[in-house]
Amino acid sequence: MPAYWIAHVTVTDPDRYAGYQSLAPAAFAQYGAKFLARGGIADCPEGARFDRHVVIAFPDLASARACYASPEYQAAKANRDGAAEVMITIVDGV
């Protein structure tokens, strides 16, 4: 059964965030991630406002969790820390 990362992001330091963008794709590729939504037009009728919204599909929940915990993703995340406000939820699909 697939699983998903649902991420909401507001970039506050684009130069520093570029470090995340250069490293994160390697982690996603390693765990079979497929981007279903990334940026684009979005409405937020309820809740906190973020600039970007991302939905990433993984083959299963174990892969989604492993990707987040991986050394590759954590290295990317270290570059993102302090450069963006981020909320990520990992959810099992139906």
Side-chain angles (χ1 to χ4, degrees):
M1 175 177 316
Y4 304 91
W5 283 23
I6 303 169
H8 307 282
V9 181
T10 297
V11 176
T12 56
D13 183 343
D15 293 333
R16 186 164 176 191
Y17 192 78
Y20 169 80
Q21 291 175 306
S22 69
L23 295 173
F28 294 133
Q30 183 178 348
Y31 291 93
K34 179 181 177 186
F35 283 80
L36 303 179
R38 181 176 10 189
I41 297 170
D43 294 328
C44 187
E46 293 187 36
R49 305 279 183 230
F50 290 87
D51 292 339
R52 294 177 49 89
H53 308 279
V54 182
V55 179
I56 309 168
F58 289 84
D60 51 47
L61 187 58
S63 297
R65 288 175 170 164
C67 182
Y68 187 83
S70 72
E72 295 84 4
Y73 188 77
Q74 290 302 307
K77 181 184 173 300
N79 280 273
R80 188 192 70 212
D81 289 345
E85 297 174 26
V86 179
M87 182 179 80
I88 297 175
T89 302
I90 300 173
V91 61
D92 205 6
V94 295

